[in-house]
């Protein structure tokens, strides 16, 4: 692993230098971190889409199926719980569940404790799809992170946790 001094000048370095030159009254240093996070997110999104496509899934489909799979047996959640897990609107979730039902990846069942409510349940086909997709995703993500020693990964995870803390929805 080369040390940080050996890293080549990147596009973000160029952006920061250009803003420093054009707007010397501003401090463009936040871009050193946040523009790289934004660019990395774009690369990660491409890797995720590729991993999911191998299993005939869209990213949003994976998000819903993964929320159900993580919930544990019997792999079911209410639409409200799915909204919190995936951070989408109610109308969007209804549309997504409808499409997943049509693909036989989930089913809707009556909620046993709420006559008006339903539960969305992962089908065996949905479980197979999400299990294989998560395996491919984690392999790709391990490969991406392989350039960092374990201690740097841990430090990065902790730093990102601190950055995310003000935006996390609690309870």
């Amino acid at each position: 692993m080369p040390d940080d001094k050996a890293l080549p000048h990147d596009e973000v370095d160029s952006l920061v230098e250009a803003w420093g030159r054009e707007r010397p009254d501003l401090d463009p240093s936040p871009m050193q971190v946040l523009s790289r996070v934004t660019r990395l997110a774009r690369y990660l999104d491409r890797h995720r889409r590729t991993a999911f496509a191998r299993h005939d899934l869209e990213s949003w489909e994976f998000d819903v199926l993964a929320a159900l799979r993580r919930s544990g047996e019997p792999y079911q959640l209410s639409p409200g719980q799915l909204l919190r897990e995936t951070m989408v609107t109610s109308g969007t979730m209804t549309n997504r569940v409808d499409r997943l039902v049509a693909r036989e990846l989930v089913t809707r069942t009556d909620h046993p404790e709420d006559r008006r409510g339903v539960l969305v349940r992962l089908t065996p086909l949905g479980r197979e799809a999400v299990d294989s997709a998560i395996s491919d995703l984690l392999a790709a993500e391990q490969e991406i992170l392989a350039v960092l020693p374990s201690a740097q990964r841990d430090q990065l995870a902790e730093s990102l946790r601190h950055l995310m803390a003000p935006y996390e929805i609690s309870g």
Side-chain angles (χ1 to χ4, degrees):
M1 162 91 197
D3 67 2
D4 291 340
K5 292 177 182 129
L7 291 175
H9 192 83
D10 69 6
E11 185 64 25
V12 173
D13 291 324
S14 298
L15 291 171
V16 170
E17 287 171 8
W19 280 117
R21 182 185 65 247
E22 295 300 317
R23 290 291 310 268
D25 58 312
L26 298 177
D27 174 13
S29 64
M31 291 178 154
Q32 291 284 358
V33 173
L34 301 176
S35 290
R36 285 187 176 94
V37 168
T38 299
R39 287 167 181 265
L40 182 59
R42 289 181 189 142
Y43 293 126
L44 293 174
D45 190 49
R46 287 183 203 145
H47 281 282
R48 288 177 156 235
R49 282 194 312 261
T50 299
F52 301 150
R54 285 188 215 118
H55 304 281
D56 196 28
L57 292 175
E58 297 287 334
S59 293
W60 67 265
E61 291 173 312
F62 176 83
D63 289 345
V64 175
L65 298 176
L68 292 166
R69 180 65 170 97
R70 288 190 313 266
S71 73
E73 294 232 28
Y75 311 115
Q76 67 184 18
L77 294 170
S78 70
Q81 290 170 308
L82 281 171
L83 291 175
R84 285 187 292 282
E85 289 282 328
T86 59
M87 297 173 42
V88 298
T89 66
S90 176
T92 298
M93 183 54 66
T94 298
N95 179 274
R96 289 179 176 186
V97 170
D98 287 346
R99 292 170 66 183
L100 289 167
V101 167
R103 291 196 56 201
E104 299 180 354
L105 298 173
V106 302
T107 60
R108 277 192 184 94
T109 59
D110 292 333
H111 195 297
E113 298 157 12
D114 179 358
R115 286 189 202 201
R116 296 173 297 158
V118 297
L119 293 171
V120 180
R121 180 178 281 187
L122 194 60
T123 65
L125 183 63
R127 182 176 173 184
E128 182 181 323
V130 73
D131 281 354
S132 9
I134 190 68
S135 294
D136 280 0
L137 174 64
L138 290 176
E141 290 182 351
Q142 286 287 357
E143 191 175 312
I144 290 166
L145 289 173
V147 300
L148 295 176
S150 180
Q152 279 188 330
R153 288 185 196 192
D154 294 344
Q155 184 180 12
L156 178 59
E158 188 65 18
S159 295
L160 291 171
R161 183 178 294 111
H162 281 281
L163 276 176
M164 287 295 300
Y167 304 101
E168 289 295 306
I169 299 169
S170 63

